[in-house]
Amino acid sequence: MLRVLTLLLLCQLAGEIAARAAGLPLPGPVIGMVLMFGWLAYQGGVDADTGKVAGALLEHLSLLFVPAGVGVVLHLDVIAAEWPAILAALFVSTFAAILAAAATMRWLAPSDGDSAK
């Protein structure tokens, strides 16, 4: 279990170092997640220990939202002042995500030559 937690933290650290060194506009943990995926693909899948640790982390995932909630409460004055822009960004980004998902589905779906009726 300690080996898997160490691997998770090392991937996150490597992602942080890569993001800062290369000046990438991606968060370090996202790069670390890609590195972890690459490692797991290289290993041929998820072993029992990794699955056990991942399951335990997912069971307590809600705890990771506490800092975000504190940040929202801390900046309620900013949210109150900027709510129209925030609301517009939420609607536009949601619509863009739906369009992107639909386009991806259409692109990846097998085509049998029949049009949908």
Side-chain angles (χ1 to χ4, degrees):
M1 188 184 268
L2 187 59
R3 176 188 64 82
V4 176
L5 285 172
T6 303
L7 178 62
L8 282 170
L9 292 173
L10 285 175
C11 285
Q12 183 173 355
L13 177 64
E16 284 288 344
I17 291 170
R20 291 177 190 235
L24 297 173
L26 290 171
V30 172
I31 297 171
M33 183 173 56
V34 171
L35 293 172
M36 182 73 172
F37 175 77
W39 174 256
L40 291 174
Y42 174 76
Q43 292 295 317
V46 178
D47 61 358
D49 286 341
T50 305
K52 187 176 174 183
V53 171
L57 287 172
L58 287 174
E59 285 178 12
H60 303 291
L61 188 64
S62 61
L63 292 175
L64 298 177
F65 290 100
V66 171
V70 170
V72 167
V73 171
L74 184 65
H75 296 290
L76 280 177
D77 56 333
V78 175
I79 293 171
E82 302 292 335
W83 72 267
I86 294 170
L87 191 63
L90 282 171
F91 278 115
V92 169
S93 64
T94 299
F95 186 68
I98 291 170
L99 286 178
T104 303
M105 180 65 187
R106 187 171 216 183
W107 180 59
L108 292 176
S111 176
D112 59 358
D114 292 334
S115 61
K117 296 180 181 180

